[in-house]
Structure formats: C-alpha cells, structure tokens
Amino acid sequence: MVNTKQTNVWKEYAYIIIGATIIGLAYNIFFLPARLAAGGLSGVSTILYELYTMNPALSQFVINIPIFIIGWITLGKDFSIKTLVGTFWVPFVIFLSTDIPITVTNPFLSALYGGLILGAGLGIVYKGSGSTGGTAAIAQIVKKFTGISSGYSQFIVDGLVVITSIFVFNLELTLFALMAIYISGKAIDIVQLRTSATKLVMVITDEEEKVQQLIQNGIDRGLTKIRSVGGYTKMDKTMILVVAEQTEAVKLKKLLQEEIPEAFTIFISASEILGRGFSLDKYYGQKF
C-alpha cells in the first residue's frame, strides 16, 4: 500500500513536470513570436516584453514569487509543494528554450496550435493535482475573499489581461488571444476527462429481463436498474443504465431495434468512466 502511494506521488510529480514543460515550450514556440497575450501570467509577460523587452522567463519568475507567498499565507494547505514545482518550472523551461529555432508567427496558427498544446500541458498538470500558479493562484485568492466561483474568478483575471492587451497590441491580436484561451479550455477538458466515444445508454422499458439478457449476452456489460414511473401513462417502468464503448453501443442499438423496438432508449456521450471494465480490469482477477 505504501509503495503504491509513493508510486502515485511520483507519477503526479511527473505529470506536473511534463505538463509544465509543454506549457513553457508552447509559450516560446507560439504565443511570444505571434505576440498573443492569451491570458494568465504568460499574457502579462508577453505584454511586458512588448513594452519594455523584459525577459519573459524573468518576469514570470519574479511575479510568481509574491503571488506564491500570498497564496501560501491566504490559502494554506491548498498551496502545496506541487504548486511550487508547477509555478517555477514553467519560467525555467521558458528560460531554457529562449532561442528555440522552431517558432510560429502567424497569429491564427499560433492561436490554434498554441491553444491546443497549452491546454494539453495544463490538463496534464491538473491530472497530477498540480498548478502553474500565476493568475490561477490569483483566481483562487479572489474566490476565497469574494465567494464567486473558480471559473468566474479565473475568467475575470484572464479577462483583465486580455483587455489590457488591446491597448498594447491591437484588436485583431486580442481576438486571436481569446481564440487561444477558448481552444486551450477545450483541450484541458479532453486531457482531464479523456473525452471519448464512450456512451451512457439509458433504456426505459417494462421488459427489463429481456433487455438485461441483450446487454449481458450481446455486449457483455454490467448494468444498473432504477425503478421509475411513466409521467404520461403512470405505469411502472424500469430504467436500465449501461456504459459501453462506441462499437458496443452501436451493437446494442441494433439489438434493441430488432428485439425490443418499443423500448425508449437514450445514448449520451460520457467524458470519463472509472470502475470495473474501464479504468479497472473487466473481470475480477482475470485478464482476457
């Protein structure tokens, strides 16, 4: 148990370092060359570089110091060593990759690919239960003292950075920066939730045994039954829930249409599935 816990801790630190490395590279390859202040502390450092040619790695490092200290004092245990690693690894990577020969100056391409790579990096950091500090830390502090949600406080902080960039750059580059923020948010969801073609199938029927046999014999999946009442008919029904891979869901749809066409069936895309048959082996103690 202890070894497993230690392994998970090291795995989380690996996630943070890998994710922070990707974030630093995304900044030097896409955002700085294209002059996109895509929110966050990286956006602030881009603005400072444009105005005063201040080294982005140095400005991020310096600004992060008081933010981290204030966060540690105000948030306490929410600020851990993982936050420290993520906070200062990003400017370190930016410093190491300052003269990287691969850069993209086209703002559209930088917003598109930079947003994807930035989001992937942030998603990996979050999977390691870490943080890159910066405006994310400021948003946490704002949330604590104002009571507004994390998402809204993050939006306010990043919004201020983007609005400021209008006066430093121009409206066109600001719109590209907003595009990058949106794309990175979607990429974070994909990495964190592993959005896939997995489906949650809901079958409402009064032939529960027949449906159960189709699911167990047809696609070899477990299921959950929920007793329900029809809102119009007032008749007792059974809602059967089953999670299936894309191909299994297609097969189940065909079986239901052939065998029980009157069953009311809903297919919903599932973001992430944890448990037996997905994050764990399908069978107890067996691997096929």
Coordinates of all heavy atoms in Angstrom, one line a residue, residues 153-227:
S153 N -14.0 33.6 -11.4 CA -12.9 34.4 -10.9 C -11.7 34.3 -11.9 O -11.0 35.3 -12.2 CB -12.5 34.0 -9.5 OG -12.1 32.6 -9.5
Q154 N -11.5 33.1 -12.4 CA -10.5 32.9 -13.4 C -10.8 33.7 -14.7 O -9.9 34.3 -15.3 CB -10.3 31.4 -13.8 CG -9.2 31.1 -14.7 CD -7.8 31.3 -14.1 OE1 -7.6 30.7 -13.1 NE2 -7.0 32.1 -14.7
F155 N -12.0 33.7 -15.1 CA -12.5 34.5 -16.2 C -12.2 36.0 -16.1 O -11.7 36.7 -17.0 CB -14.0 34.3 -16.5 CG -14.5 35.1 -17.7 CD1 -14.3 34.7 -19.0 CD2 -15.2 36.2 -17.4 CE1 -14.8 35.4 -20.0 CE2 -15.7 37.0 -18.5 CZ -15.5 36.6 -19.8
I156 N -12.5 36.5 -14.9 CA -12.3 37.9 -14.6 C -10.8 38.3 -14.7 O -10.4 39.2 -15.3 CB -12.8 38.3 -13.2 CG1 -14.3 38.2 -13.1 CG2 -12.3 39.7 -12.7 CD1 -14.9 38.3 -11.8
V157 N -9.9 37.4 -14.0 CA -8.5 37.7 -14.0 C -7.9 37.6 -15.4 O -7.2 38.5 -15.9 CB -7.8 36.7 -13.1 CG1 -6.3 36.9 -13.2 CG2 -8.2 36.9 -11.6
D158 N -8.2 36.6 -16.2 CA -7.7 36.4 -17.5 C -8.3 37.5 -18.4 O -7.6 38.0 -19.4 CB -8.1 35.0 -18.1 CG -7.1 34.0 -17.5 OD1 -6.1 34.3 -17.0 OD2 -7.5 32.8 -17.6
G159 N -9.6 37.9 -18.2 CA -10.2 38.9 -19.0 C -9.5 40.2 -18.9 O -9.3 41.0 -19.8
L160 N -9.0 40.6 -17.7 CA -8.3 41.8 -17.4 C -7.0 41.8 -18.2 O -6.6 42.8 -18.8 CB -8.0 42.0 -16.0 CG -9.2 42.3 -15.1 CD1 -8.8 42.3 -13.6 CD2 -9.8 43.7 -15.5
V161 N -6.3 40.7 -18.3 CA -5.1 40.6 -19.1 C -5.4 40.8 -20.5 O -4.6 41.5 -21.2 CB -4.4 39.2 -18.8 CG1 -3.2 39.0 -19.7 CG2 -4.0 39.0 -17.4
V162 N -6.4 40.1 -21.0 CA -6.7 40.2 -22.5 C -7.2 41.6 -22.8 O -6.8 42.2 -23.9 CB -7.8 39.2 -22.8 CG1 -8.3 39.4 -24.3 CG2 -7.3 37.8 -22.7
I163 N -8.0 42.3 -22.0 CA -8.4 43.6 -22.2 C -7.2 44.6 -22.3 O -7.1 45.5 -23.1 CB -9.4 44.1 -21.1 CG1 -10.7 43.3 -21.3 CG2 -9.7 45.6 -21.2 CD1 -11.7 43.6 -20.2
T164 N -6.3 44.4 -21.4 CA -5.1 45.2 -21.4 C -4.3 45.1 -22.7 O -3.7 46.0 -23.2 CB -4.2 44.8 -20.2 OG1 -4.9 45.0 -19.0 CG2 -2.9 45.7 -20.2
S165 N -4.3 43.9 -23.3 CA -3.6 43.6 -24.5 C -4.1 44.4 -25.7 O -3.4 44.6 -26.6 CB -3.6 42.1 -24.8 OG -4.8 41.7 -25.3
I166 N -5.4 44.8 -25.6 CA -5.9 45.6 -26.7 C -5.2 46.9 -26.8 O -4.9 47.4 -28.0 CB -7.4 45.9 -26.4 CG1 -8.3 44.6 -26.4 CG2 -8.0 46.9 -27.5 CD1 -9.7 44.9 -26.1
F167 N -4.8 47.5 -25.7 CA -4.1 48.8 -25.8 C -2.6 48.7 -26.1 O -2.0 49.6 -26.6 CB -4.2 49.5 -24.4 CG -5.7 49.7 -24.0 CD1 -6.2 48.9 -23.0 CD2 -6.4 50.7 -24.5 CE1 -7.6 49.0 -22.6 CE2 -7.7 50.9 -24.1 CZ -8.3 50.1 -23.2
V168 N -2.1 47.5 -25.9 CA -0.7 47.2 -26.2 C -0.5 46.8 -27.6 O 0.4 47.2 -28.3 CB -0.1 46.2 -25.2 CG1 1.4 46.0 -25.5 CG2 -0.2 46.7 -23.8
F169 N -1.3 45.9 -28.1 CA -1.2 45.3 -29.4 C -2.3 45.9 -30.3 O -2.3 47.1 -30.6 CB -1.3 43.8 -29.4 CG -0.3 43.1 -28.5 CD1 -0.6 42.6 -27.3 CD2 1.1 43.1 -28.9 CE1 0.4 42.0 -26.5 CE2 2.1 42.5 -28.1 CZ 1.7 42.0 -26.9
N170 N -3.3 45.1 -30.7 CA -4.5 45.6 -31.4 C -5.6 44.7 -31.2 O -5.5 43.6 -30.7 CB -4.1 45.8 -32.9 CG -3.6 44.6 -33.5 OD1 -4.2 43.5 -33.5 ND2 -2.4 44.6 -34.1
L171 N -6.8 45.1 -31.7 CA -8.0 44.3 -31.5 C -7.9 42.9 -32.2 O -8.3 41.9 -31.7 CB -9.2 45.0 -32.1 CG -10.6 44.3 -31.9 CD1 -10.9 44.0 -30.5 CD2 -11.7 45.1 -32.6
E172 N -7.2 42.9 -33.4 CA -7.1 41.6 -34.1 C -6.3 40.6 -33.3 O -6.7 39.4 -33.2 CB -6.4 41.9 -35.4 CG -6.4 40.6 -36.4 CD -5.8 41.0 -37.7 OE1 -6.6 41.6 -38.5 OE2 -4.7 40.6 -38.0
L173 N -5.2 41.0 -32.8 CA -4.4 40.1 -32.0 C -5.1 39.7 -30.7 O -4.9 38.5 -30.2 CB -3.0 40.7 -31.7 CG -2.0 40.8 -32.8 CD1 -0.8 41.5 -32.4 CD2 -1.7 39.4 -33.4
T174 N -5.9 40.6 -30.1 CA -6.6 40.3 -28.9 C -7.7 39.2 -29.2 O -7.9 38.3 -28.4 CB -7.3 41.5 -28.4 OG1 -6.3 42.5 -28.1 CG2 -8.1 41.3 -27.1
L175 N -8.3 39.3 -30.3 CA -9.3 38.3 -30.7 C -8.7 36.9 -30.9 O -9.2 35.9 -30.5 CB -10.1 38.7 -32.0 CG -11.0 40.0 -31.8 CD1 -11.6 40.3 -33.2 CD2 -12.1 39.7 -30.8
F176 N -7.5 36.9 -31.5 CA -6.8 35.6 -31.6 C -6.4 35.1 -30.3 O -6.4 33.9 -30.1 CB -5.5 35.8 -32.5 CG -5.8 35.9 -34.0 CD1 -5.4 36.9 -34.8 CD2 -6.4 34.8 -34.6 CE1 -5.7 36.9 -36.1 CE2 -6.7 34.8 -36.0 CZ -6.3 35.9 -36.7
A177 N -6.0 36.0 -29.3 CA -5.7 35.5 -28.0 C -6.9 34.9 -27.3 O -6.8 33.9 -26.6 CB -5.2 36.7 -27.2
L178 N -8.1 35.5 -27.5 CA -9.3 35.0 -27.0 C -9.6 33.6 -27.6 O -10.1 32.7 -26.9 CB -10.5 35.9 -27.2 CG -10.5 37.2 -26.4 CD1 -11.6 38.1 -26.9 CD2 -10.8 36.8 -24.9
M179 N -9.3 33.5 -28.8 CA -9.5 32.2 -29.5 C -8.6 31.1 -28.9 O -9.0 30.0 -28.7 CB -9.2 32.4 -31.0 CG -9.2 31.1 -31.8 SD -8.8 31.4 -33.6 CE -8.5 29.8 -34.2
A180 N -7.4 31.5 -28.6 CA -6.4 30.6 -28.0 C -6.9 30.1 -26.6 O -6.8 29.0 -26.2 CB -5.0 31.2 -27.9
I181 N -7.5 31.1 -25.8 CA -8.0 30.8 -24.5 C -9.1 29.7 -24.6 O -9.2 28.8 -23.8 CB -8.5 32.0 -23.8 CG1 -7.3 32.9 -23.4 CG2 -9.2 31.7 -22.5 CD1 -7.7 34.3 -22.9
Y182 N -10.0 30.0 -25.6 CA -11.1 29.1 -25.7 C -10.7 27.7 -26.1 O -11.1 26.7 -25.6 CB -12.1 29.6 -26.8 CG -13.2 28.7 -27.1 CD1 -14.4 28.7 -26.3 CD2 -13.2 27.9 -28.2 CE1 -15.4 27.9 -26.6 CE2 -14.3 27.0 -28.5 CZ -15.4 27.0 -27.7 OH -16.4 26.2 -27.9
I183 N -9.7 27.6 -27.1 CA -9.2 26.3 -27.5 C -8.5 25.6 -26.4 O -8.7 24.4 -26.2 CB -8.3 26.5 -28.7 CG1 -9.1 27.0 -29.9 CG2 -7.6 25.2 -29.1 CD1 -8.3 27.4 -31.1
S184 N -7.7 26.3 -25.6 CA -7.0 25.7 -24.5 C -7.9 25.1 -23.5 O -7.7 24.1 -22.9 CB -6.0 26.7 -23.9 OG -6.7 27.7 -23.2
G185 N -9.0 25.8 -23.3 CA -10.0 25.3 -22.3 C -10.6 24.0 -22.8 O -10.8 23.1 -21.9
K186 N -10.9 23.9 -24.0 CA -11.4 22.6 -24.6 C -10.4 21.5 -24.5 O -10.7 20.4 -24.2 CB -11.9 22.8 -26.0 CG -13.1 23.7 -26.2 CD -14.3 23.2 -25.5 CE -15.5 24.1 -25.7 NZ -16.7 23.6 -24.9
A187 N -9.1 21.9 -24.8 CA -8.1 20.9 -24.7 C -7.9 20.4 -23.3 O -7.6 19.2 -23.1 CB -6.8 21.5 -25.3
I188 N -8.0 21.3 -22.3 CA -7.9 20.9 -20.9 C -8.9 19.8 -20.6 O -8.6 18.8 -19.9 CB -8.0 22.1 -20.0 CG1 -6.8 23.0 -20.1 CG2 -8.2 21.6 -18.5 CD1 -7.0 24.3 -19.4
D189 N -10.2 20.0 -21.0 CA -11.2 19.1 -20.8 C -10.9 17.7 -21.4 O -11.2 16.7 -20.8 CB -12.6 19.6 -21.3 CG -13.1 20.8 -20.5 OD1 -12.7 20.9 -19.4 OD2 -14.0 21.5 -21.1
I190 N -10.4 17.7 -22.6 CA -10.1 16.5 -23.3 C -9.1 15.7 -22.5 O -9.2 14.5 -22.3 CB -9.7 16.7 -24.7 CG1 -10.8 17.3 -25.6 CG2 -9.1 15.4 -25.4 CD1 -10.4 17.7 -26.9
V191 N -8.0 16.4 -22.1 CA -6.9 15.7 -21.4 C -7.4 15.2 -20.0 O -7.1 14.1 -19.6 CB -5.7 16.6 -21.2 CG1 -4.6 16.0 -20.3 CG2 -5.1 16.9 -22.6
Q192 N -8.1 16.1 -19.3 CA -8.5 15.7 -17.9 C -9.6 14.7 -17.9 O -9.6 13.7 -17.1 CB -9.0 17.0 -17.2 CG -8.0 17.9 -16.6 CD -8.6 18.8 -15.6 OE1 -9.2 19.8 -16.0 NE2 -8.3 18.6 -14.3
L193 N -10.6 14.8 -18.8 CA -11.7 13.9 -18.8 C -11.6 12.8 -19.8 O -12.5 11.9 -19.8 CB -13.0 14.7 -19.0 CG -13.3 15.8 -18.0 CD1 -14.6 16.6 -18.4 CD2 -13.5 15.2 -16.6
R194 N -10.6 12.8 -20.6 CA -10.4 11.8 -21.6 C -11.6 11.6 -22.4 O -12.1 10.5 -22.6 CB -9.9 10.5 -21.0 CG -8.6 10.5 -20.4 CD -8.1 9.2 -19.8 NE -9.0 8.8 -18.8 CZ -8.8 7.6 -18.1 NH1 -7.8 6.8 -18.5 NH2 -9.6 7.3 -17.1
T195 N -12.2 12.7 -22.9 CA -13.4 12.7 -23.6 C -13.3 11.7 -24.8 O -12.4 11.8 -25.6 CB -13.8 14.1 -24.2 OG1 -13.9 15.0 -23.1 CG2 -15.1 14.1 -25.0
S196 N -14.2 10.8 -24.9 CA -14.1 9.7 -25.9 C -15.5 9.4 -26.4 O -16.5 10.1 -26.1 CB -13.5 8.5 -25.3 OG -14.4 7.9 -24.3
A197 N -15.5 8.3 -27.2 CA -16.8 7.9 -27.8 C -17.6 7.0 -26.9 O -18.6 6.4 -27.3 CB -16.5 7.2 -29.1
T198 N -17.1 6.8 -25.6 CA -17.9 6.0 -24.6 C -19.3 6.6 -24.4 O -19.5 7.8 -24.3 CB -17.1 6.0 -23.3 OG1 -15.8 5.6 -23.5 CG2 -17.8 5.0 -22.4
K199 N -20.3 5.7 -24.4 CA -21.6 6.1 -24.3 C -22.3 5.6 -23.0 O -22.1 4.5 -22.6 CB -22.5 5.6 -25.5 CG -22.0 6.0 -26.8 CD -22.2 7.5 -27.1 CE -21.7 7.9 -28.4 NZ -21.8 9.4 -28.6
L200 N -23.1 6.4 -22.4 CA -24.0 6.0 -21.4 C -25.4 5.8 -22.0 O -26.0 6.7 -22.6 CB -24.2 7.1 -20.3 CG -25.3 6.9 -19.3 CD1 -25.1 5.7 -18.5 CD2 -25.4 8.2 -18.4
V201 N -25.9 4.5 -21.9 CA -27.1 4.1 -22.6 C -28.2 4.0 -21.5 O -28.0 3.3 -20.5 CB -27.0 2.8 -23.4 CG1 -28.2 2.5 -24.1 CG2 -25.8 2.9 -24.3
M202 N -29.3 4.7 -21.7 CA -30.4 4.6 -20.8 C -31.6 4.0 -21.5 O -32.1 4.5 -22.5 CB -30.8 6.0 -20.3 CG -29.6 6.8 -19.6 SD -30.0 8.5 -19.4 CE -31.3 8.4 -18.2
V203 N -32.1 2.9 -21.0 CA -33.2 2.2 -21.6 C -34.3 2.1 -20.6 O -34.2 1.6 -19.5 CB -32.8 0.7 -22.0 CG1 -33.9 0.0 -22.7 CG2 -31.5 0.7 -22.8
I204 N -35.5 2.7 -21.0 CA -36.7 2.7 -20.2 C -37.6 1.7 -20.8 O -38.1 1.9 -21.9 CB -37.3 4.1 -20.1 CG1 -36.3 5.1 -19.6 CG2 -38.5 4.1 -19.2 CD1 -36.7 6.5 -19.6
T205 N -38.0 0.7 -20.0 CA -38.8 -0.4 -20.6 C -39.5 -1.1 -19.5 O -39.2 -1.0 -18.3 CB -37.8 -1.4 -21.3 OG1 -38.6 -2.5 -21.8 CG2 -36.8 -2.0 -20.3
D206 N -40.5 -1.9 -19.9 CA -41.2 -2.8 -19.0 C -40.9 -4.3 -19.2 O -41.5 -5.2 -18.7 CB -42.8 -2.6 -19.0 CG -43.3 -2.7 -20.5 OD1 -42.5 -3.1 -21.4 OD2 -44.4 -2.3 -20.7
E207 N -39.8 -4.4 -20.1 CA -39.3 -5.8 -20.3 C -37.9 -5.8 -19.9 O -36.9 -6.1 -20.7 CB -39.4 -6.1 -21.8 CG -40.8 -6.1 -22.4 CD -40.9 -6.6 -23.8 OE1 -40.6 -7.7 -24.1 OE2 -41.3 -5.7 -24.7
E208 N -37.7 -5.6 -18.6 CA -36.3 -5.5 -18.1 C -35.5 -6.8 -18.2 O -34.3 -6.7 -18.5 CB -36.3 -5.1 -16.6 CG -37.0 -6.0 -15.7 CD -36.9 -5.6 -14.2 OE1 -35.9 -5.8 -13.6 OE2 -37.9 -4.9 -13.7
E209 N -36.1 -7.9 -18.0 CA -35.3 -9.2 -18.1 C -34.8 -9.4 -19.6 O -33.7 -9.8 -19.8 CB -36.2 -10.4 -17.7 CG -36.6 -10.4 -16.2 CD -35.3 -10.4 -15.3 OE1 -34.3 -11.0 -15.7 OE2 -35.4 -9.7 -14.3
K210 N -35.6 -9.0 -20.5 CA -35.2 -9.2 -21.9 C -34.1 -8.2 -22.3 O -33.1 -8.6 -23.0 CB -36.4 -9.0 -22.8 CG -36.2 -9.4 -24.3 CD -37.5 -9.3 -25.1 CE -37.3 -9.8 -26.5 NZ -38.5 -9.7 -27.3
V211 N -34.2 -7.0 -21.8 CA -33.2 -6.0 -22.1 C -31.9 -6.4 -21.4 O -30.8 -6.3 -21.9 CB -33.6 -4.6 -21.6 CG1 -32.5 -3.6 -21.7 CG2 -34.8 -4.1 -22.4
Q212 N -32.0 -6.9 -20.1 CA -30.8 -7.4 -19.4 C -30.1 -8.5 -20.1 O -28.9 -8.5 -20.2 CB -31.3 -7.9 -18.0 CG -30.1 -8.3 -17.1 CD -30.5 -8.6 -15.7 OE1 -31.5 -8.0 -15.2 NE2 -29.8 -9.4 -15.0
Q213 N -30.9 -9.4 -20.7 CA -30.2 -10.5 -21.4 C -29.5 -10.0 -22.7 O -28.4 -10.5 -23.0 CB -31.3 -11.6 -21.8 CG -31.9 -12.4 -20.7 CD -30.8 -13.2 -20.0 OE1 -30.0 -13.8 -20.6 NE2 -30.8 -13.1 -18.6
L214 N -30.1 -9.0 -23.4 CA -29.5 -8.5 -24.6 C -28.2 -7.8 -24.2 O -27.2 -7.9 -24.9 CB -30.4 -7.4 -25.2 CG -31.6 -8.0 -26.0 CD1 -32.5 -6.8 -26.5 CD2 -31.2 -8.9 -27.1
I215 N -28.2 -7.1 -23.1 CA -26.9 -6.4 -22.6 C -25.9 -7.3 -22.2 O -24.7 -7.2 -22.6 CB -27.3 -5.4 -21.5 CG1 -28.2 -4.2 -22.0 CG2 -26.0 -4.8 -20.9 CD1 -28.7 -3.3 -21.0
Q216 N -26.2 -8.3 -21.4 CA -25.2 -9.2 -20.8 C -24.7 -10.2 -21.9 O -23.5 -10.5 -21.9 CB -25.8 -10.0 -19.6 CG -26.1 -9.1 -18.4 CD -26.7 -9.8 -17.3 OE1 -27.4 -10.8 -17.5 NE2 -26.6 -9.3 -16.1
N217 N -25.6 -10.7 -22.7 CA -25.2 -11.7 -23.7 C -24.7 -11.0 -25.0 O -23.8 -11.5 -25.7 CB -26.3 -12.6 -24.1 CG -26.8 -13.4 -22.9 OD1 -26.0 -13.7 -22.0 ND2 -28.0 -13.8 -22.8
G218 N -25.2 -9.8 -25.3 CA -24.9 -9.2 -26.6 C -23.6 -8.4 -26.5 O -22.8 -8.5 -27.5
I219 N -23.4 -7.6 -25.5 CA -22.2 -6.8 -25.4 C -21.3 -7.1 -24.1 O -20.3 -6.5 -23.9 CB -22.5 -5.3 -25.5 CG1 -23.3 -4.9 -24.3 CG2 -23.2 -5.0 -26.8 CD1 -23.6 -3.4 -24.2
D220 N -21.8 -8.0 -23.3 CA -21.0 -8.4 -22.1 C -20.7 -7.3 -21.2 O -19.6 -7.0 -20.8 CB -19.8 -9.2 -22.5 CG -19.1 -9.8 -21.3 OD1 -19.8 -10.1 -20.3 OD2 -17.9 -10.1 -21.4
R221 N -21.7 -6.5 -20.8 CA -21.5 -5.4 -19.9 C -22.5 -5.5 -18.7 O -23.5 -6.1 -18.8 CB -21.9 -4.0 -20.6 CG -20.8 -3.6 -21.6 CD -19.5 -3.1 -20.8 NE -18.5 -2.7 -21.7 CZ -17.2 -2.4 -21.3 NH1 -16.9 -2.5 -20.0 NH2 -16.3 -2.0 -22.2
G222 N -22.0 -4.9 -17.6 CA -22.9 -4.8 -16.4 C -23.9 -3.7 -16.6 O -23.8 -2.9 -17.5
L223 N -24.9 -3.7 -15.7 CA -25.9 -2.7 -15.8 C -26.5 -2.3 -14.4 O -26.2 -3.0 -13.4 CB -27.0 -3.2 -16.7 CG -27.6 -4.6 -16.3 CD1 -28.8 -4.4 -15.4 CD2 -28.1 -5.3 -17.6
T224 N -27.2 -1.2 -14.4 CA -27.9 -0.8 -13.1 C -29.3 -0.6 -13.4 O -29.7 0.0 -14.5 CB -27.2 0.5 -12.6 OG1 -25.9 0.3 -12.4 CG2 -27.9 1.0 -11.4
K225 N -30.2 -1.0 -12.5 CA -31.7 -0.8 -12.7 C -32.2 0.2 -11.7 O -31.8 0.2 -10.6 CB -32.4 -2.2 -12.4 CG -32.0 -3.3 -13.4 CD -32.8 -4.6 -13.0 CE -32.4 -5.7 -13.9 NZ -33.2 -6.9 -13.6
I226 N -33.0 1.1 -12.3 CA -33.7 2.1 -11.5 C -35.2 2.0 -11.7 O -35.7 2.1 -12.8 CB -33.2 3.5 -11.8 CG1 -31.7 3.6 -11.6 CG2 -33.9 4.6 -11.0 CD1 -31.1 4.9 -12.1
R227 N -35.9 1.8 -10.6 CA -37.4 1.8 -10.7 C -37.9 3.2 -11.0 O -37.5 4.2 -10.4 CB -38.0 1.3 -9.4 CG -37.5 -0.1 -9.0 CD -37.7 -1.2 -10.1 NE -37.1 -2.4 -9.8 CZ -37.0 -3.4 -10.6 NH1 -37.4 -3.3 -11.8 NH2 -36.4 -4.6 -10.2

